[in-house]
Amino acid sequence: MSDRRIYLSIFIMILTVYAIRVTPFLIFRKEIKNKWIRSFLYYVPYVTLAVMTFPAILSSTSSVISGAIALAVGIAAALIGGDLFTVAICACIAVFLSELII
Amino acid sequence: MDSKRKLFLKGLRDGIPIALGYLAVAFTLGITAANINMNAFQSFLMSFGMLASAGEYAAIVLIGSAAGVAEMIATTLIINLRYFLMSCSLSQKVSPDEPLWKRMLLAWFVTDELFGISSAVEGYLDPVYTYGAAAVSVTGWCLGTVLGVIVGDILPVRLASAMSVALYGMFLAIIIPPARKSRFMALLIIASMASSFVFSKAPVISGISEGFRIIILTVVIAGIAAYLRPVEEAERE
């Protein structure tokens, strides 16, 4: 592909992705009153993040075992009350250490 | 104005683990981009503009195969459709008083992770918090991509493996605390993970692309949850 076509392609795809992200903000500028929709949108982040985390976390590292350990350590750290940063770092360290042993 | 500054700084801090994970993921993206002879600037532009992992992999493949415009738009739409749902949710998370330009800037940063931490804020989301987190994490994302193009395979596998799990760690930090407080949320999260597991292993269904699996499961499960347990205003604020 020529340089010009590469830039054109990138530009087109940037616009497409932004259109997906910005459209809801343009449509729903006021608060939605419908209770079911409000509740649905309230639950969306939790369900999405849970779905994206499991089982994907198991295959995100070099071995399923270190992935499982990261999951367990992450849940434990979050239960104890760790914030975003702490839980993320704990999971990283757990993977690093467990992969040294495996 | 002081509270705005504080919020921005809090965003910067919460953005650090995201940046760490992004660095590792974007690094591999950069290597892929270099393989089809995209240069560092082009890769930077793509990463800065798209802020999407699977979406950018697809973009690289499309550019590499000299795809047509229609195919590019269609593929990009399908792979990134889940951001539509996330934006719908975030549009109700910001105060109705926030000006349009702030919402439109916020829309740029609707990635899985930035959406996650923005949703976890109590009460209304002040976009300034997300901007702070984006300032750090988008830098990590772009830097990772450019490094991947330029230096290729220098990141030790062990380190990359450890860093990439940071993103999932953050997701856990967001979904576990509400699950501890409410039995319904705990059940909801367990049900979500279990369904996700089934969808990824079951014959036929596992053939559905990951992006669509996420959308289908989210719509169905969050829809049922909203029916079973409508959220009271007090709970939301």
Side-chain angles (χ1 to χ4, degrees), chain B residues 42-61:
Chain B
Q42 291 162 343
S43 310
F44 161 79
L45 205 64
M46 175 184 72
S47 273
F48 181 74
M50 294 184 73
L51 298 179
S53 50
E56 286 185 38
Y57 272 112
I60 294 167
V61 171

Side-chain angles (χ1 to χ4, degrees), chain B residues 78-95:
Chain B
I78 292 168
I79 291 183
N80 299 291
L81 204 59
R82 71 178 182 284
Y83 297 128
F84 187 88
L85 210 54
M86 296 181 187
S87 284
C88 286
S89 183
L90 273 192
S91 78
Q92 298 301 303
K93 182 80 183 161
V94 293
S95 157

Side-chain angles (χ1 to χ4, degrees), chain B:
Chain B
M1 279 302 114
D2 196 41
S3 69
K4 291 262 178 209
R5 215 187 116 155
K6 255 193 192 152
L7 261 179
F8 188 81
L9 290 176
K10 185 174 187 316
L12 285 181
R13 181 187 142 94
D14 288 349
I16 295 172
I18 306 186
L20 211 65
Y22 277 6
L23 204 64
V25 175
F27 197 85
T28 58
L29 259 176
I31 295 170
T32 319
N35 286 341
I36 64 149
N37 295 320
M38 279 173 73
N39 64 38
F41 181 70
Q42 291 162 343
S43 310
F44 161 79
L45 205 64
M46 175 184 72
S47 273
F48 181 74
M50 294 184 73
L51 298 179
S53 50
E56 286 185 38
Y57 272 112
I60 294 167
V61 171
L62 288 166
I63 291 172
S65 63
V69 172
E71 191 185 345
M72 278 183 184
I73 294 176
T75 310
T76 308
L77 274 177
I78 292 168
I79 291 183
N80 299 291
L81 204 59
R82 71 178 182 284
Y83 297 128
F84 187 88
L85 210 54
M86 296 181 187
S87 284
C88 286
S89 183
L90 273 192
S91 78
Q92 298 301 303
K93 182 80 183 161
V94 293
S95 157
D97 302 330
E98 298 289 354
L100 184 61
W101 70 268
K102 281 196 180 176
R103 293 162 178 266
M104 290 180 72
L105 182 60
L106 179 64
W108 194 277
F109 304 125
V110 180
T111 66
D112 298 341
E113 297 74 19
L114 291 171
F115 163 72
I117 64 165
S118 302
S119 304
V121 170
E122 260 182 64
Y124 283 129
L125 165 71
D126 186 328
V128 166
Y129 170 71
T130 312
Y131 301 158
V136 185
S137 52
V138 171
T139 306
W141 183 245
C142 295
L143 188 68
T145 317
V146 170
L147 285 177
V149 174
I150 299 172
V151 291
D153 270 312
I154 58 148
L155 195 66
V157 178
R158 272 184 206 291
L159 206 58
S161 181
M163 280 163 72
S164 58
V165 93
L167 302 177
Y168 296 108
M170 285 179 13
F171 292 163
L172 290 172
I174 293 167
I175 59 178
I176 298 296
R180 197 176 63 156
K181 276 186 220 145
S182 138
R183 244 180 92 179
F184 184 76
M185 289 300 271
L187 288 173
L188 182 67
I189 282 156
I190 291 169
S192 303
M193 289 185 166
S195 325
S196 169
F197 182 76
V198 170
F199 263 52
S200 69
K201 302 287 178 217
V204 186
I205 307 173
S206 60
I208 306 169
S209 76
E210 201 186 347
F212 266 114
R213 277 204 313 252
I214 293 169
I215 294 169
I216 295 169
L217 287 171
T218 303
V219 169
V220 172
I221 298 172
I224 295 171
Y227 174 74
L228 293 177
R229 180 78 59 104
V231 178
E232 299 302 325
E233 290 310 300
E235 241 176 289
R236 199 178 165 271
E237 297 307 328

